[in-house]
Amino acid sequence: MEKMTANKSVLSWINEKIDLVKPEKVVWIDGSKEQVEALRAEACATGEMIKLNQELLPDCYLHRTAVNDVARVEARTFICAPSKEEAGPTNNWMDPAEAYKMLYDIAKDSYKGRTMYVIPYSMGPVGSKFSKIGIELTDSIYVVLNMSIMTRVGTKVLEALGDSNDWVRGLHCKCDIDEEKRYICQFPQDNTIISVNSGYGGNVLLGKKCFALRIASYQGKNEGWQAEHMLILGLQKPNGEIKYICAAFPSACGKTNLAMLIPPEGYYKKGYRVWCVGDDISWIRKGEDGRLYAINPENGFFGVAPGTNEKSNPNALASTKKGTIFTNVALNLDNNTVWWEGLDKNPPENAIEWKGSKWNGKTSEEKGAHPNSRFTAPAVNCPCISSEFENPQGVPISAFVFGGRRAKLAPLVYQSRSWNHGVFVGSIMASETTAAAAGAVGVVRRDPMAMLPFCGYNMADYWQHWIDIGAGLDPEKAPKIFNVNWFRKDDDGNFMWPGFGDNLRVLDWIIDRCEGKVDAVETPIGFVPNADDINLEGLEGEVSKAQLEEILSVDKALWKTEVEGIGEFYAKFDRLPATLKAEYETLKKNIEG
Ligand code: OXD
Ligand code: MN
């Protein structure tokens, strides 16, 4: 096929990679429906994908990955910066020269007899000042089709690139899906990503975590903007005004659910709505009016399937009804549709489980879907997608929200005293492990700004970047910073807050605080709501005022232990910003005082 650009930096890089991996042919992805259709047909012919019931699930397909290749692999993910210090104490580091050599040895000749697909893609609306371009080379049709949902792809992207050299290089080689030789390497200084021996989403859809977070966080530091692991939602008040919130949570905290929340009935009737701009990643920069604006660089949702249902997240479920690729879910043979744990209480009896064997959901002890099985769904399918989703200027941010899963420690919500205190609150984010992840339950895992596996440079420098961004903002215009915890438990281990749609009650308070409409109580950790200011209408019999007071309380003894944990974590960072050290000392004093 004809080359789609005359850009010399693009052509010479692709030629080098062709010499390395030796494909049988090269196909450029043009973004056309016809090409997508032809690739779907080819993938079905080879068994790489299964066409689902086209009446119930039009343009939907199922894919199964190798059994050893079902999740991101943090232990095999590397930041290949010139020095270990630049990658920092929380990243795996490899010397760039050594990494290139090792990766090229693995990739050599690996496309023999295969096709190289060249995917030009834009993170962010094509042509927006926020957006960045990448080119991914891959030998997987599954990757092409997923990237065509998750990003904007094709000829228009190369037109926007013109003859610029400002684009991110991405090479993906499936090789033999050998776990021992699986590497996901980012070279931030070279705008380059190389991923070998995996076929699973987060490792191979290079626009997502590899580019939009790891590479982009580094670009943002150098160029004065931010790439964050944050959803973006618009909260519409009864007067029609919409205020935007960016929120960061570690995995298993309901991020996609919050991004697509449906207000409780009483609120809905009054006119409250939540609009989803993004469910995973935000790119943020200062606008001409001095406020911070955010875009979602992605074009689709790569969501976890298990637990998604009509009650937990009807908007996400609706998003998966057309043009969606399902990965590692169960196949219902009776009607050629899909099923996963938590979809409904009626598992299919005549089915194939995610590994490809016959499965009876009524009698089997085994799971039908892998716990990390996914749907890749176009964002436009979402019933609550924001009208600003394609806005090249982004949306103005009123609040940043951090959160985690803490059974006893953090109150339902608290507000930081200042921007720098807010950066501190983000830096001490942590979540207690759930049964969904391997390892012990209830262990505190520190995950600053939910960026632990995604920060492309030294985390301490990343915190300094946050501080610098705040220093460049008029405090009146800067987003206010909050922390939430939907997961407080009573002494019997029961959740004390209903969560899901009822989290709107907390978002409402957050926006009122941003607008100076409501008072708060100062505590050693920040500002906590007066219990009267969280509206419990409609929660009678579920959450009493006393219970609310309990989940808003700050237990100094527990925070004392927490301060020790923070101290141990901070001790890892030689380059800890003095501002954060000072915030830490303040917290310590407040708790002990
Ligand atoms: C994701 C993640 O898949 O954060 O979005 O792991
Ligand atoms: Mn994520």
Side-chain angles (χ1 to χ4, degrees):
M1 190 198 259
E2 221 182 302
K3 300 180 181 75
M4 294 193 320
T5 179
N7 182 313
K8 290 209 179 68
S9 62
V10 171
L11 295 179
S12 73
W13 180 77
I14 294 177
N15 282 335
E16 262 172 41
K17 298 302 166 275
I18 289 175
D19 282 348
L20 175 73
V21 300
K22 306 258 175 14
E24 187 177 288
K25 60 175 179 164
V26 178
V27 171
W28 289 68
I29 298 305
D30 59 16
S32 69
K33 282 209 175 79
E34 295 71 30
Q35 193 182 40
V36 163
E37 212 36 73
L39 289 171
R40 284 169 169 167
E42 191 179 333
C44 289
T46 61
E48 188 177 349
M49 297 208 308
I50 294 165
K51 193 172 191 161
L52 295 167
N53 184 323
Q54 294 297 294
E55 256 161 56
L56 297 173
L57 297 169
D59 293 329
C60 291
Y61 293 81
L62 169 65
H63 170 79
R64 298 189 193 107
T65 65
V67 174
N68 76 9
D69 188 29
V70 293
R72 287 187 293 102
V73 278
E74 287 173 21
R76 308 203 67 93
T77 300
F78 291 81
I79 300 298
C80 306
S83 70
K84 186 166 172 35
E85 185 68 9
E86 279 158 281
T90 55
N91 279 314
N92 299 316
W93 174 78
M94 220 189 286
D95 173 72
E98 276 172 33
Y100 279 125
K101 179 168 180 327
M102 179 195 69
L103 294 164
Y104 288 163
D105 278 349
I106 294 173
K108 195 168 180 309
D109 299 341
S110 69
Y111 280 35
K112 273 219 165 129
R114 310 176 61 90
T115 302
M116 170 185 279
Y117 298 97
V118 180
I119 317 173
Y121 64 97
S122 174
M123 299 312 292
V126 178
S128 156
K129 68 170 187 281
F130 283 81
S131 300
K132 294 266 181 194
I133 287 172
I135 295 183
E136 175 164 358
L137 306 180
T138 180
D139 52 347
S140 157
I141 296 181
Y142 170 76
V143 168
V144 173
L145 294 174
N146 273 274
M147 285 292 283
S148 302
I149 297 172
M150 293 305 295
T151 73
R152 286 99 172 157
V153 303
T155 324
K156 58 184 188 241
V157 175
L158 289 171
E159 280 163 11
L161 182 65
D163 58 10
S164 166
N165 188 24
D166 182 10
W167 54 279
V168 170
R169 287 102 175 114
L171 173 64
H172 165 237
C173 308
K174 277 199 296 199
C175 304
D176 307 314
I177 315 288
D178 177 353
E179 281 176 280
E180 304 294 320
K181 291 189 185 160
R182 185 169 298 154
Y183 291 97
I184 320 300
C185 292
Q186 284 66 205
F187 302 79
Q189 282 72 10
D190 301 345
N191 271 343
T192 296
I193 306 158
I194 302 179
S195 166
V196 292
N197 276 299
S198 175
Y200 167 79
N203 301 327
V204 298
L205 308 179
L206 301 185
K208 194 174 178 62
K209 305 298 191 181
C210 303
F211 179 173
L213 288 174
R214 298 194 191 101
I215 298 282
S217 60
Y218 179 76
Q219 293 177 327
K221 177 185 78 124
N222 294 327
E223 297 167 10
W225 55 280
Q226 293 171 276
E228 298 297 337
H229 190 197
M230 289 179 163
L231 63 87
I232 312 169
L233 66 81
L235 174 62
Q236 181 174 330
K237 296 266 198 170
N239 66 5
E241 260 186 4
I242 303 179
K243 302 287 176 185
Y244 294 91
I245 294 176
C246 281
F249 297 86
S251 33
C253 290
K255 200 164 148 200
T256 304
N257 295 345
L258 185 67
M260 300 178 189
L261 174 153
I262 294 189
E265 204 184 325
Y267 276 85
Y268 193 90
K269 282 198 180 128
K270 281 187 206 147
Y272 280 87
R273 297 287 181 277
V274 167
W275 302 106
C276 174
V277 183
D279 77 326
D280 197 35
I281 300 175
S282 302
W283 283 4
I284 302 159
R285 29 174 107 224
K286 192 164 150 182
E288 272 161 25
D289 62 359
R291 299 188 64 191
L292 286 186
Y293 283 74
I295 64 155
N296 169 10
E298 301 191 282
N299 204 26
F301 309 118
F302 185 63
V304 175
T308 305
N309 60 49
E310 212 34 82
K311 194 163 177 288
S312 67
N313 195 337
N315 286 315
L317 194 60
S319 307
T320 67
K321 296 296 181 195
K322 57 178 189 233
T324 293
I325 300 172
F326 297 93
T327 302
N328 293 341
V329 300
L331 175 65
N332 181 344
L333 291 173
D334 286 337
N335 60 4
N336 198 26
T337 62
V338 287
W339 192 86
W340 50 78
E341 278 66 24
L343 173 64
D344 54 41
K345 297 209 165 71
N346 189 25
E349 288 171 61
N350 181 25
I352 307 266
E353 45 82 285
W354 69 275
K355 294 190 286 262
S357 299
K358 274 288 280 169
W359 182 73
N360 181 338
K362 298 269 192 301
T363 56
S364 177
E365 300 276 297
E366 302 255 323
K367 289 208 183 321
H370 186 276
N372 191 37
S373 55
R374 299 279 175 151
F375 54 80
T376 315
V380 290
N381 284 0
C382 181
C384 68
I385 195 73
S386 164
S387 59
E388 302 303 296
F389 175 69
E390 293 280 355
N391 187 338
Q393 313 297 332
V395 293
I397 300 306
S398 297
F400 284 125
V401 174
F402 297 118
R405 197 177 263 277
R406 303 306 297 263
K408 293 282 177 196
L409 185 83
L412 180 62
V413 57
Y414 68 100
Q415 182 185 359
S416 66
R417 288 182 297 268
S418 63
W419 176 276
N420 284 346
H421 179 227
V423 177
F424 173 73
V425 169
S427 79
I428 64 167
M429 248 174 82
S431 210
E432 285 148 19
T433 49
T434 65
V441 175
V443 174
V444 177
R445 183 188 195 242
R446 301 246 157 239
D447 188 353
M449 284 84 170
M451 283 288 277
L452 190 68
F454 305 120
C455 186
Y457 60 106
N458 191 313
M459 182 70 78
D461 297 344
Y462 162 81
W463 291 330
Q464 185 60 51
H465 183 51
W466 263 88
I467 294 165
D468 295 343
I469 292 280
L473 296 173
D474 172 349
E476 290 289 307
K477 294 183 177 169
K480 306 287 177 276
I481 304 181
F482 299 80
N483 189 88
V484 298
N485 176 23
W486 317 132
F487 303 97
R488 277 282 278 257
K489 284 184 174 171
D490 63 19
D491 291 339
D492 299 326
N494 305 308
F495 286 115
M496 297 174 76
W497 178 251
F500 298 100
D502 289 304
N503 292 335
L504 183 91
R505 300 169 193 273
V506 175
L507 301 182
D508 197 28
W509 182 81
I510 285 175
I511 294 301
D512 280 351
R513 280 297 287 171
C514 293
E515 296 181 336
K517 287 191 184 150
V518 64
D519 275 345
V521 189
E522 183 149 19
T523 76
I525 62 166
F527 295 103
V528 168
N530 284 300
D532 287 335
D533 291 329
I534 301 281
N535 185 349
L536 294 180
E537 213 180 291
L539 281 182
E540 294 81 9
E542 228 179 311
V543 182
S544 65
K545 172 103 178 285
Q547 206 168 324
L548 179 61
E549 275 164 1
E550 168 75 29
I551 41 183
L552 290 172
S553 65
V554 175
D555 181 332
K556 276 195 177 185
L558 289 177
W559 275 92
K560 219 167 168 168
T561 312
E562 183 72 1
V563 163
E564 282 165 25
I566 297 165
E568 277 165 32
F569 182 61
Y570 267 10
K572 290 189 188 165
F573 299 93
D574 296 340
R575 286 150 79 150
L576 183 73
T579 313
L580 292 190
K581 178 89 175 94
E583 290 291 346
Y584 171 71
E585 293 302 334
T586 304
L587 175 66
K588 202 167 161 181
K589 200 173 83 232
N590 288 352
I591 293 299
E592 282 165 5

